[in-house]
Amino acid sequence: MNDTSSRLTGPVRVVGAGLLGASVGLGLRARGVDVVLDDASPANLNLAVDYGAGRASDGEESPALIVVCVPPDVTASVVLAELAAHPDAVVTDVASVKVAPMAELEASGRDISRYVGSHPLAGRERGGPSSGRADLFVGRPWVVCTRPDVSRASVSLVEALVLDLGATPIEMNTVAHDAAVALVSHTPQIVSSLMAKRLSGSSDAALALAGQGVRDVTRIASSEPELWVQILGANAPAVVEILRAYRDDLDRVLAALGDLDAPGARRSLAEELAGGNAGVSRLPGKHGQDRRFASVVVMVDDKPGELGRLFTEMGEIGVNLEDLRLEHSPGAQIGLAEIAVLPEALQRTIDDLTARGWRIAG
Amino acid sequence: MNDTSSRLTGPVRVVGAGLLGASVGLGLRARGVDVVLDDASPANLNLAVDYGAGRASDGEESPALIVVCVPPDVTASVVLAELAAHPDAVVTDVASVKVAPMAELEASGRDISRYVGSHPLAGRERGGPSSGRADLFVGRPWVVCTRPDVSRASVSLVEALVLDLGATPIEMNTVAHDAAVALVSHTPQIVSSLMAKRLSGSSDAALALAGQGVRDVTRIASSEPELWVQILGANAPAVVEILRAYRDDLDRVLAALGDLDAPGARRSLAEELAGGNAGVSRLPGKHGQDRRFASVVVMVDDKPGELGRLFTEMGEIGVNLEDLRLEHSPGAQIGLAEIAVLPEALQRTIDDLTARGWRIAG
C-alpha cells in the first residue's frame, strides 16, 4: 500500500463479520472507506464494530459493492439474498471454493450477472472478528472469477477492492480456480493429515528421531477438521481426481517396495521420486531453492537472546539477510540458523561472524 | 561442546570419506583425536585429507574404534572386512538402516560381537568430502543399536564417539530403529515426493496460488532419487507396513469424498483430519506449535536490508527472539516475518515495533 486513498467510493457492505469479513472491514477502514457490517449473530457484529471493522447496518445504505464473507455452505443463499435486496450493487464473496456456490446460484434461475465470485489466498489459524487484521491480505494472491455474462465494470469494482486491501488480483474461471486450490491447498492438506495420523500410535522414542522433514510435511495437519470437512466437501470432484492419481502413484511405490527384485521395481521407485523433484522445482520462489542467494549455517546456543544477538551483529556487519530458516533438535543445547545472503557477501559473512565468535556449521 | 578434550584415545579409523566420513574426521580432529582415513577411491581419500579430515592410512595403525561410513548396500561387507583386519577394534557404521546390514552380518556366520551399529540423524543436501563439516552432528540424535551379545564397553566406546561429535546418543535395537526412521523419515519422503509429483502437470496460473502449506509439504521432495531408492529399498518391510495403513486411510478419504451424502461420510472425513491433529501434536517441539511462546507477524518490505534492520531493532528493543518463520509470496512487494517471543514480552514487542514504524500483520 503505497498510497492511502481508496479506489472505492460510497459504502461497502460486508456480510459476515468473522476473520475474513472483519479483516476486509479493517483494511477498508484504514483506507478511509465507509464500511457497513452485517452478521447473523448480533454478538459477532458488535464485536467487529468494537474492533473498528465498520459500522452496523441501519438498512438505509445503498452500497455499490457487497462482500459476502460467510462459510462456503451458506454462501450461495446469502449472495442471492444480497442481490435481491440491493438491485444496483455488485456482489462478491470470499469462499475458498467457487464451482459449488456458482452451480447453486445458477440453479436458482435468478439473474446473477451482478455476482463476481472471488477468493483471497489468506487466512490465520485463529478465527472470529477479534482475529481480524487490516493487513491480512497484503501481498497475497486474490482470485477474481470472470465469466462471459459479467460486465468488465463489475470485475473492475471487485479488483479495486482487492487492490485496496493490498492483494494481487488473479483472474480465473471457477473451474480453473477449484482445480488449482484442489492441487495446491486441498490435496496437500489431506496428504499432510494422513501422514500425521500415522504418528499417533508411535512411541516417544521413535518420535525423538523426528527431524525437520517430517515436521514440514505435517505442519498443516494441525488445521481445524470441521472447517476442512466443509472445504473438501465443497470441492470433492476436483480433489478426488488428484487424489486418485496420487493413490495410483502410491500403489506403484507399494508394489515396487513389496518386490524389489522384480524387473523394473527400483527403476519405478526412482521414477516416482524423480517426479517429485520435477514437481517441486515448479513452485515459484520455493523456499531454500532460491539460486540468487548463498547460505551459511550458524550455530546458536539455545539460550535467551542468542538469536537476537546474531541478528543484531548481522546488522552491524552490514550484510543483508535475504532469508532465514531455523532448525531445532528437541533437547539439544543448540539450534541452527540457515542464513541466505548474496553470493558475493558469503565469504565476508563467514569471516566476520567467525571473528565475532560465532560457530559456522555449514 | 563445552570442553575440547576427547573421550577417545588412540587413532580412530574412518572408512569411507564422503560427507559423513569426512564430517566424522573433521569433528574428531577438532577434538585433537588422531584420525586415520581410508576410501576405495584414492581421489576421494586425498580430497578428504586435504580438507583436514585426517591422515591417510599406512596400514600400521591399531585403532580401538573403526567408523564405517559407506553406502548402506556395502556396509555389511565393509564391516566384516574391518572386523577381520582389526581383531581388537570395535566397529560401528553410520548407515541409515540397521536391520538389513545386521541380517547380512549374521548370515555371514562370523563373530560380530565387536560390531555396534549406529545412525546419526544428520545430513546435508550436498554430498562428498568437500561438503563435510566438523559440526554436522552437533545437537542431533545419534542412534546406537544395542544387542544382548555386545559388551557394555563396546557400546560405551561408540557413545564416546557420539558425544565427542556433539550429538546425543539414543540406544535402540535395530528393529525399533528401522521402524522409527520408516515413520519419521522414509514414509514422509514418499508422501512428499508423490504430492510434489502431482504439481508437474499443472499450469503456472495454478501454481501461482501456492502458499506456505504446499511448500512445506513438498520441501523434502527435492531429495536425490538414487540415494533414496537405496534407503527405501533397505527398509522396505517397515516402510510398506506404514504405507499400507496410510493407503487404507487414503481410501477412506476417497470413499467419503466420492459419496458425501452417504451416512457417516463427513464424519469419516472429520475423523481422518482429527487423527492428523492428534498425530502432529505428538511431535516434540513442533515448529509453530510451541505453547511456551506467543507470536507476532511483522510485514517486511521486499528490499535489501529490511530483514536485517528488523532483527537489529529487535535487539535494540531488548526482546529475546525465540523463534522465527519467514513467508514470501512470489511477486509480492512484502514478506511476513512471524516472530516468537515470551508471552509476557508480546505487548511490548508489538508496541515498540509499531512505534518504530513496523507494520504488524497479526
Side-chain angles (χ1 to χ4, degrees):
Chain A
M1 286 189 265
N2 294 316
D3 60 304
T4 53
S5 64
S6 170
R7 294 161 187 88
L8 300 167
T9 54
V12 172
R13 175 172 160 83
V14 177
V15 184
L19 166 66
L20 294 178
S23 296
V24 168
L26 288 165
L28 292 178
R29 289 295 307 125
R31 291 285 213 159
V33 177
D34 181 19
V35 176
V36 176
L37 292 173
D38 209 345
D39 195 293
S41 153
N44 240 17
L45 177 59
N46 290 335
L47 191 55
V49 170
D50 283 352
Y51 271 92
R55 61 187 170 94
S57 170
D58 60 12
E60 299 296 314
E61 308 86 10
S62 297
L65 179 63
I66 298 169
V67 190
V68 173
C69 304
V70 300
D73 59 348
V74 291
T75 292
S77 60
V78 174
V79 165
L80 286 174
E82 294 297 320
L83 286 170
H86 303 274
D88 297 319
V90 170
V91 178
T92 187
D93 75 306
V94 297
S96 57
V97 289
K98 304 268 59 108
V99 173
M102 191 65 205
E104 212 179 320
L105 291 171
E106 283 171 339
S108 73
R110 310 257 280 280
D111 172 19
I112 55 167
S113 61
R114 285 179 288 116
Y115 165 70
V116 182
S118 78
H119 175 212
L121 280 289
R124 303 188 71 203
E125 281 149 39
R126 285 159 293 188
S130 59
S131 300
R133 300 287 168 183
D135 299 311
L136 186 69
F137 309 106
V138 172
R140 303 287 187 165
W142 187 320
V143 174
V144 178
C145 287
T146 52
R147 303 195 311 276
D149 62 318
V150 163
S151 73
R152 192 68 227 169
S154 299
V155 170
S156 294
L157 190 58
V158 174
E159 292 185 348
L161 168 79
V162 171
L163 292 169
D164 255 22
L165 294 171
T168 307
I170 297 180
E171 293 188 7
M172 263 186 191
N173 66 48
T174 56
V175 173
H177 169 273
D178 279 17
V181 293
L183 181 67
V184 302
S185 169
H186 304 172
T187 304
Q189 178 63 54
I190 294 170
V191 161
S192 176
S193 291
L194 297 186
M195 179 64 234
K197 191 182 168 199
R198 290 295 105 220
L199 303 175
S200 292
S202 179
S203 68
D204 287 345
L207 294 173
L209 304 189
Q212 201 58 41
V214 66
R215 282 166 213 279
D216 283 351
V217 172
T218 59
R219 186 180 62 84
I220 55 173
S222 54
S223 299
E224 197 194 325
E226 291 70 23
L227 174 67
W228 275 92
V229 168
Q230 201 174 125
I231 293 172
L232 295 171
N235 199 19
V239 174
V240 163
E241 190 182 328
I242 300 166
L243 221 45
R244 282 211 179 112
Y246 180 93
R247 189 189 49 186
D248 290 346
D249 287 339
L250 184 58
D251 282 339
R252 264 189 287 277
V253 169
L254 272 167
L257 287 176
D259 185 7
L260 277 163
D261 296 326
R266 284 172 191 272
R267 178 176 166 176
S268 163
L269 209 49
E271 283 173 355
E272 294 299 325
L273 294 164
N277 289 174
V280 77
S281 70
R282 293 206 52 214
L283 281 177
K286 208 190 82 62
H287 198 105
Q289 282 234 321
D290 200 324
R291 308 229 180 271
R292 292 173 302 166
F293 305 127
S295 78
V296 53
V297 179
V298 183
M299 297 198 290
V300 182
D301 284 344
D302 187 17
K303 60 184 188 188
E306 281 299 283
L307 215 44
R309 186 165 72 85
L310 172 63
F311 299 139
T312 303
E313 298 198 2
M314 287 286 294
E316 288 168 6
I317 289 170
V319 170
N320 295 329
L321 189 59
E322 306 290 350
D323 199 355
L324 182 134
R325 185 177 182 86
L326 290 180
E327 202 166 314
H328 304 269
S329 285
Q333 295 307 302
I334 207 124
L336 300 174
E338 183 175 354
I339 291 170
V341 298
L342 288 175
E344 55 269 33
L346 180 65
Q347 197 54 53
R348 185 159 66 86
T349 306
I350 292 173
D351 292 347
D352 286 7
L353 286 179
T354 305
R356 286 164 175 259
W358 292 99
R359 284 173 293 165
I360 308 297
Chain B
M1 285 188 267
N2 294 317
D3 60 305
T4 54
S5 64
S6 170
R7 294 163 186 86
L8 300 167
T9 54
V12 171
R13 174 172 160 84
V14 177
V15 184
L19 166 65
L20 294 179
S23 296
V24 168
L26 288 165
L28 292 178
R29 290 295 306 128
R31 291 283 214 161
V33 177
D34 181 19
V35 175
V36 177
L37 292 172
D38 209 345
D39 195 293
S41 152
N44 240 17
L45 177 59
N46 290 336
L47 191 55
V49 170
D50 282 353
Y51 271 91
R55 61 186 171 93
S57 171
D58 59 12
E60 298 297 314
E61 309 86 9
S62 298
L65 178 64
I66 298 170
V67 190
V68 173
C69 303
V70 299
D73 59 347
V74 291
T75 292
S77 60
V78 174
V79 166
L80 286 174
E82 294 297 320
L83 286 169
H86 302 275
D88 296 319
V90 170
V91 178
T92 188
D93 74 308
V94 297
S96 56
V97 289
K98 304 266 64 107
V99 172
M102 191 64 207
E104 212 179 319
L105 291 171
E106 283 171 338
S108 73
R110 308 256 282 280
D111 172 19
I112 54 167
S113 61
R114 285 180 288 116
Y115 165 70
V116 182
S118 78
H119 174 212
L121 279 291
R124 302 189 71 202
E125 281 148 39
R126 285 159 293 190
S130 59
S131 300
R133 300 288 168 184
D135 299 310
L136 186 68
F137 309 106
V138 173
R140 303 287 187 166
W142 188 318
V143 174
V144 178
C145 287
T146 51
R147 303 194 312 275
D149 62 318
V150 161
S151 74
R152 192 68 227 169
S154 299
V155 171
S156 294
L157 189 58
V158 174
E159 292 186 348
L161 168 81
V162 171
L163 292 169
D164 254 22
L165 294 170
T168 306
I170 297 180
E171 294 187 7
M172 262 186 191
N173 67 48
T174 56
V175 173
H177 168 273
D178 279 18
V181 292
L183 181 67
V184 301
S185 169
H186 305 172
T187 305
Q189 178 64 53
I190 294 170
V191 161
S192 176
S193 291
L194 297 185
M195 179 64 235
K197 191 183 169 200
R198 290 296 104 219
L199 303 175
S200 292
S202 178
S203 68
D204 287 346
L207 294 173
L209 304 189
Q212 202 57 42
V214 67
R215 283 166 213 279
D216 283 350
V217 172
T218 59
R219 185 180 63 82
I220 56 173
S222 54
S223 299
E224 197 194 325
E226 291 71 23
L227 174 67
W228 274 92
V229 168
Q230 200 173 127
I231 293 172
L232 295 172
N235 199 19
V239 174
V240 163
E241 189 182 330
I242 299 165
L243 220 46
R244 283 211 178 113
Y246 180 93
R247 188 187 52 184
D248 290 346
D249 287 339
L250 184 59
D251 282 339
R252 262 189 288 276
V253 170
L254 271 167
L257 287 176
D259 186 7
L260 277 164
D261 297 326
R266 284 172 192 271
R267 178 176 165 175
S268 163
L269 208 49
E271 283 174 355
E272 295 298 326
L273 294 163
N277 288 176
V280 77
S281 70
R282 293 206 51 214
L283 282 176
K286 207 190 81 62
H287 197 104
Q289 281 234 321
D290 200 323
R291 308 227 179 272
R292 292 173 303 165
F293 305 128
S295 78
V296 52
V297 180
V298 183
M299 297 198 292
V300 182
D301 284 345
D302 187 17
K303 62 184 187 190
E306 281 298 283
L307 216 43
R309 185 165 72 85
L310 172 63
F311 299 139
T312 302
E313 299 198 3
M314 287 285 295
E316 288 168 7
I317 288 169
V319 170
N320 295 330
L321 190 58
E322 306 291 349
D323 198 356
L324 182 134
R325 184 176 182 88
L326 290 180
E327 200 168 317
H328 304 269
S329 284
Q333 296 305 303
I334 207 124
L336 301 175
E338 183 174 354
I339 291 171
V341 298
L342 289 174
E344 55 267 34
L346 180 65
Q347 197 53 53
R348 185 159 67 86
T349 306
I350 293 172
D351 292 347
D352 287 6
L353 286 178
T354 305
R356 285 164 175 258
W358 293 100
R359 284 173 293 162
I360 308 298

